[in-house]
Amino acid sequence: MVTTGATADDPSNTVIMELKTGKVTIRLRPDLAPKHVERVKMLVNEGFYNGLKFHRVIPGFMAQTGDPQGTGGGGSKYPSLKAEFSGQAFERGTLGAARTGDPDSANSQFFITFAHAPHLNGQYTVFGQVVDGMQHVDQIAKGEPPPRPDVIVKMYMANGAP
């Protein structure tokens, strides 16, 4: 279990993402990206991510979601966030804030890396890490977009678990 930068058991910074194959536990990293973590927690608590598609899934690279339009072009009703780049490397299971070419355009979309992705280091905001259930992320339907996209069944904070 990866616990760098966060206590081992911190339900207030732990998200559970239910996929069709099982639960994924995500440790948020407010020490690295406090504004991004605050946004994700707010959206999770609003139920924003429930039912959203994984619209861009590249084998060996990453799975992207968080767009209510399901196309990669949408976001939440809130304004974009300024980048919070850090020295944290993109490793297997790292969560990064998806954005356009503008580093300060992240909103609600995020991606989870399938493998080490050093070309992203210092270019995208790292705000979390999968600490359990990565095998379920590996099973997300691939494609840009996938012919039959998988969805986030439900996302919720561990301290508000049903």
Side-chain angles (χ1 to χ4, degrees):
M1 179 181 284
V2 177
T3 58
T4 308
T7 59
D9 293 305
D10 181 3
S12 69
N13 283 305
T14 302
V15 174
I16 308 301
M17 179 173 64
E18 292 184 10
L19 302 177
K20 71 179 182 184
T21 57
K23 293 181 181 180
V24 178
T25 304
I26 298 164
R27 177 82 57 232
L28 298 176
R29 297 289 309 271
D31 58 313
L32 299 178
K35 296 292 185 193
H36 283 74
V37 167
E38 178 183 8
R39 170 69 55 85
V40 167
K41 287 165 77 169
M42 183 171 57
L43 292 173
V44 165
N45 286 327
E46 291 177 2
F48 177 85
Y49 292 108
N50 299 346
L52 293 189
K53 295 176 185 175
F54 283 90
H55 61 271
R56 184 171 179 235
V57 185
I58 303 171
F61 180 36
M62 61 88 207
Q64 186 171 332
T65 187
D67 172 15
Q69 298 175 12
T71 62
S76 74
K77 64 184 178 185
Y78 302 107
S80 294
L81 295 165
K82 286 199 168 291
E84 295 178 287
F85 298 151
S86 68
Q88 185 68 34
F90 277 86
E91 300 295 344
R92 175 171 165 76
T94 300
L95 273 76
R99 60 173 177 78
T100 66
D102 176 359
D104 297 330
S105 64
N107 188 292
S108 61
Q109 293 188 49
F110 66 91
F111 58 90
I112 304 171
T113 52
F114 290 122
H116 179 64
H119 64 286
L120 300 178
N121 295 347
Q123 305 295 314
Y124 289 82
T125 299
V126 172
F127 69 89
Q129 180 70 40
V130 172
V131 294
D132 190 40
M134 191 62 194
Q135 72 273 22
H136 303 300
V137 177
D138 291 335
Q139 295 178 57
I140 295 170
K142 311 299 187 275
E144 298 183 65
R148 297 178 61 197
D150 282 320
V151 301
I152 297 170
V153 175
K154 186 189 308 186
M155 268 177 89
Y156 51 89
M157 300 303 301
N159 62 354

